[in-house]
Amino acid sequence: MRILRTASNLNQAVRRARAGGARIGFVPTMGYLHDGHLALVRAAREECDLVVASIFVNPLQFAAGEDLAKYPRDLPRDHRLLRKADVDLLFEPENFYPEGFATRVSVERLGERLCGRYRPGHFVGVSTVVTKLLAAAEPDRLYLGRKDYQQAMILTRMVADLNLPVRVVICPTVREADGLAMSSRNVYLTPEERAWAPNFYRALRATALLIESGEVRGAGEATAEVERRLLGSPMRLQYAEALTADDLAPIDPLTGDLVLAAAVFLGKARLIDNVAVRAPRPPRPGKKNDRGRRV
Ligand code: PAF
């Protein structure tokens, strides 16, 4: 695994590989890797000839007062894991935002709900850094995790809107055996908080089932149901919303393909998770029989 620190060195390396006919897969990360990241690398390894990963704790996507300074880091361990996963090139950019850097990439609407409401500037930071990373890595495929569902939808929109020549591949959320979605930030949990944490996913799943069975129909009811299921735990709900799966638009009553996404605070950790939901669709008007009656 070669480690590259400038966009131009990375760009030269991938162009050389592409000239030889290689398909290039790219996995962007902020490091402190877990099995969720490694599943993205595995997917890239299976589908591509050259696998590029990046590690960059992107200051642009942290709002003031967030955990930029104490975001967990362990580069020697990350290098070991990526070598073992057979990554070809690792990009660890230095001076990625030089003096005078003034450009921002902003995807409207999709970034305004869910986390966007509580993390000002976060998704602009994500879209900006991913645009820069894509410009350097010029991959054929970009691998993202479904765990960060809003991020995946925003980046998919950005790639389409800007005609970026890359296919976005969204891989399933990787969970611990008890259901907790893997996240670098899970390290902030104390053993006691860690024991409570799976209740978050359970609350989302249980609410999703109630929506699917038609028992919960209203958007507000869905939020209240998640909240109710977390009562008595040390988790504090920041938001829970059922939105349309593709464009994250509010919908009430709940119908069609949805995502139920939520964020909670648990001790020093802020956890996010989401589940897909198929809410019942309103019955379609039946066909007319030959007497003109609906059947
Ligand atoms: O999901 C992440 O780790 C980050 O948001 C990403 C996509 C690497 C951009 O910094």
Side-chain angles (χ1 to χ4, degrees):
M1 180 175 81
R2 273 178 71 202
I3 302 180
L4 302 157
R5 301 191 191 277
T6 67
S8 60
N9 283 350
L10 173 63
N11 201 251
Q12 275 169 21
V14 290
R15 283 189 177 195
R16 225 175 290 132
R18 174 164 296 107
R23 177 192 283 168
I24 292 144
F26 177 51
V27 181
T29 83
M30 297 208 299
Y32 209 71
L33 303 176
H34 50 69
D35 268 355
H37 297 113
L38 298 176
L40 303 181
V41 171
R42 273 196 299 278
R45 191 69 280 170
E46 269 166 33
E47 297 176 2
C48 302
D49 307 299
L50 185 91
V51 177
V52 183
S54 66
I55 297 180
F56 179 59
V57 182
N58 172 33
L60 272 193
Q61 68 187 74
F62 289 78
E66 290 189 344
D67 56 345
L68 172 62
K70 57 181 177 42
Y71 192 83
R73 291 161 169 91
D74 188 345
L75 279 178
R77 180 175 167 276
D78 289 348
H79 290 175
R80 274 198 307 279
L81 290 172
L82 293 177
R83 267 198 199 99
K84 199 164 163 224
D86 204 15
V87 164
D88 298 295
L89 302 178
L90 172 61
F91 185 41
E92 279 178 19
E94 276 170 1
N95 196 21
F96 212 32
Y97 300 119
E99 186 71 28
F101 184 87
T103 300
R104 296 290 182 275
V105 179
S106 169
V107 179
E108 291 175 6
R109 290 187 305 280
L110 283 168
E112 285 157 18
R113 311 195 67 84
L114 306 175
C115 289
R117 187 174 292 166
Y118 299 95
R119 302 190 66 190
H122 171 65
F123 288 118
V124 170
V126 170
S127 310
T128 303
V129 79
V130 172
T131 305
K132 268 177 78 68
L133 291 167
L134 291 175
E138 292 187 0
D140 297 285
R141 295 187 185 189
L142 166 66
Y143 291 84
L144 300 170
R146 191 194 149 100
K147 146 90 172 22
D148 296 301
Y149 188 80
Q150 187 174 19
Q151 166 172 285
M153 291 301 109
I154 287 173
L155 294 176
T156 302
R157 181 82 259 164
M158 179 186 89
V159 161
D161 287 354
L162 301 181
N163 308 318
L164 300 179
V166 59
R167 184 198 295 184
V168 180
V169 181
I170 301 174
C171 298
T173 303
V174 178
R175 299 183 180 278
E176 304 286 355
D178 59 11
L180 176 66
M182 290 197 184
S183 162
S184 305
R185 288 182 167 106
N186 290 351
V187 71
Y188 296 150
L189 298 170
T190 63
E192 199 196 327
E193 289 157 359
R194 175 64 189 81
W196 280 102
N199 288 8
F200 181 29
Y201 178 51
R202 282 185 207 129
L204 292 181
R205 290 251 306 168
T207 305
L209 288 176
L210 292 175
I211 299 172
E212 291 186 340
S213 69
E215 278 170 76
V216 165
R217 288 169 197 271
E221 253 182 284
T223 302
E225 186 62 34
V226 177
E227 191 158 31
R228 193 181 70 73
R229 286 174 180 274
L230 295 175
L231 282 179
S233 86
M235 275 178 263
R236 184 167 61 77
L237 186 68
Q238 185 179 46
Y239 69 76
E241 283 188 78
L243 302 172
T244 59
D246 289 345
D247 50 5
L248 302 181
I251 178 163
D252 201 3
L254 300 173
T255 170
D257 289 334
L258 308 174
V259 60
L260 175 63
V264 294
F265 291 103
L266 180 54
K268 293 200 176 90
R270 178 180 177 276
L271 308 177
I272 60 169
D273 205 346
N274 68 85
V275 292
V277 188
R278 281 225 151 141
R281 294 178 190 274
R284 277 201 275 159
K287 284 190 192 138
K288 286 184 183 167
N289 65 15
D290 46 11
R291 289 192 199 135
R293 291 230 176 99
R294 296 216 174 263
V295 290

